[in-house]
Amino acid sequence: MEQTERRFAVLIDADNVSPKYIKYIMDEVSDMGIATYKRIYGDWTDTTKRGWKDVMLEWSINPIQQYSYTFGKNATDSAMIIDAMDILYSGNVEGFCLVSSDSDFTKLAQRLREDGMFVLGMGEKKTPTPFVKACDTFKILEVIASEEISKEQITSLEDIEGAVGKIITENNNLGKPTGIAEVGSVLAKKFSDFDVRNFGYSKLSTFLESLKDYEVNKKGTAYFISDVKTGVTRKELEDLITRQIQENSGKIDNMSQIYEELKRVHPNFNIKQYGYSRFSSFLRSFSRFRIEENVVRLK
């Protein structure tokens, strides 16, 4: 079944999500499939939830009444979990959208995925990491609603750049180009909270173009990403490193000095282009050099 045809059960925890996000929630679901079930859980005798009334009517969301029988116990969580399992066993959906900022749904997300369900999670930036990671993909509500978010709450740009480099290197080793669609798919699977909007971009291609070590090119109707070409051969780099060592009395006390010199002479130098993610591993690939801790000498 195509992704756009995937049927979703949208289950919303009214205790932990604001009604102001409903449009963005439903828009995200419609981008991925069809909302077959739309249910929202809470104690509707609670006057603090009055804001949901018009929202539920406008978006045809079915309110599920759940009284708070015991102080301090979240009955809403239990009702959502029971309904989710009933829907799972009905066989009427291929995915679940769990909307909450509560870590109590972590086990539910894991259980649904064990049964082959696609789990789309949504919550505010305060959502605990275990729930975020338990979903196939997780959308931060402040981001999809274009509000500010602390970068500490999301996967770092450095981690994403490293993952992109690994994809390109693996494809280079197989002699095949890297399409940006493949990159987007891998990043979404590796980082459940990955969303280009987290970094201020609306399109994956534009986000990838912003990464300084890579370039995006269009071939026909498809887009491909590759390392920025340095135009420097391994032999040229080896000769440059050799001269640097010879001019420093036969040794370099810190390999970072070599890296800085290579970047000075060749500003676009990138070890990923040569199939390495660590500079120390790149240096050890040359038979001419001997490395002891951080000191580099000629053999």
Side-chain angles (χ1 to χ4, degrees):
M1 177 171 289
E2 295 295 327
Q3 186 181 38
T4 53
E5 298 174 344
R6 184 183 282 133
R7 294 171 298 179
F8 276 93
V10 182
L11 309 180
I12 304 171
D13 174 10
D15 292 337
N16 284 287
V17 174
S18 168
K20 68 180 180 179
Y21 293 121
I22 191 62
K23 176 185 182 300
Y24 308 104
I25 292 168
M26 300 312 298
D27 283 349
E28 288 293 322
V29 174
S30 66
D31 285 343
M32 296 188 177
I34 301 168
T36 303
Y37 293 84
K38 292 185 287 184
R39 298 180 181 177
I40 185 166
Y41 300 79
D43 183 355
W44 305 111
T45 64
D46 182 352
T47 57
T48 63
K49 293 186 175 62
R50 276 181 295 186
W52 279 106
K53 181 179 178 180
D54 291 339
V55 167
M56 290 187 292
L57 292 172
E58 179 182 357
W59 292 91
S60 188
I61 301 173
N62 184 20
I64 306 299
Q65 171 63 37
Q66 186 58 53
Y67 294 102
S68 299
Y69 296 110
T70 307
F71 179 76
K73 298 292 183 180
N74 195 339
T76 297
D77 292 3
S78 299
M80 267 185 66
I81 292 169
I82 291 169
D83 268 11
M85 297 310 294
D86 285 344
I87 295 170
L88 171 66
Y89 293 132
S90 75
N92 292 328
V93 299
E94 292 78 41
F96 282 79
C97 175
L98 305 179
V99 186
S100 179
S101 303
D102 191 339
S103 64
D104 287 350
F105 295 105
T106 301
K107 291 296 292 184
L108 174 60
Q110 293 171 338
R111 177 66 181 82
L112 294 172
R113 291 181 69 185
E114 286 175 358
D115 259 59
M117 292 290 108
F118 179 89
V119 178
L120 166 63
M122 294 193 206
E124 297 177 353
K125 62 185 179 182
K126 65 184 180 181
T127 306
T129 299
F131 180 40
V132 173
K133 299 298 184 184
C135 301
D136 284 289
T137 186
F138 191 91
K139 303 294 182 180
I140 300 170
L141 292 173
E142 289 92 337
V143 171
I144 63 176
S146 301
E147 293 184 5
E148 290 297 318
I149 180 172
S150 168
K151 296 301 180 184
E152 295 178 359
Q153 301 293 324
I154 59 178
T155 301
S156 72
L157 186 60
E158 182 180 1
D159 287 341
I160 291 171
E161 288 181 325
V164 172
K166 184 177 179 182
I167 298 166
I168 294 173
T169 297
E170 289 174 350
N171 282 338
N172 286 345
N173 291 338
L174 295 172
K176 58 180 258 189
T178 302
I180 66 170
E182 177 188 358
V183 172
S185 176
V186 173
L187 291 179
K189 291 176 182 176
K190 185 175 180 63
F191 308 111
S192 60
D193 63 347
F194 174 70
D195 190 322
V196 294
R197 289 169 297 191
N198 292 346
F199 303 93
Y201 296 90
S202 60
K203 296 172 60 178
L204 177 62
S205 58
T206 308
F207 168 71
L208 293 175
E209 285 174 347
S210 74
L211 305 180
K212 63 180 181 352
D213 290 335
Y214 309 103
E215 58 185 8
V216 175
N217 296 294
K218 186 177 182 181
K219 297 179 182 178
T221 59
Y223 287 87
F224 297 87
I225 183 171
S226 61
D227 294 314
V228 173
K229 303 302 181 184
T230 66
V232 186
T233 66
R234 281 177 54 91
K235 180 64 167 59
E236 290 174 312
L237 294 174
E238 184 179 37
D239 290 342
L240 177 58
I241 296 169
T242 298
R243 286 196 301 273
Q244 185 182 3
I245 294 173
Q246 290 172 338
E247 292 170 359
N248 282 273
S249 304
K251 71 171 183 175
I252 300 293
D253 292 327
N254 193 319
M255 67 177 68
S256 64
Q257 295 174 251
I258 297 176
Y259 179 79
E260 290 168 2
E261 178 65 9
L262 292 179
K263 291 291 285 184
R264 185 188 70 80
V265 178
H266 303 289
N268 289 329
F269 170 71
N270 182 356
I271 59 173
K272 299 187 188 77
Q273 181 185 344
Y274 304 92
Y276 295 89
S277 59
R278 295 170 59 91
F279 186 63
S280 58
S281 299
F282 174 70
L283 283 180
R284 289 189 172 91
S285 70
F286 295 97
S287 60
R288 190 184 295 185
F289 309 128
R290 184 172 79 253
I291 302 173
E292 298 170 354
E293 294 184 350
N294 221 19
V295 179
V296 184
R297 294 184 173 88
L298 295 175
K299 287 186 178 178

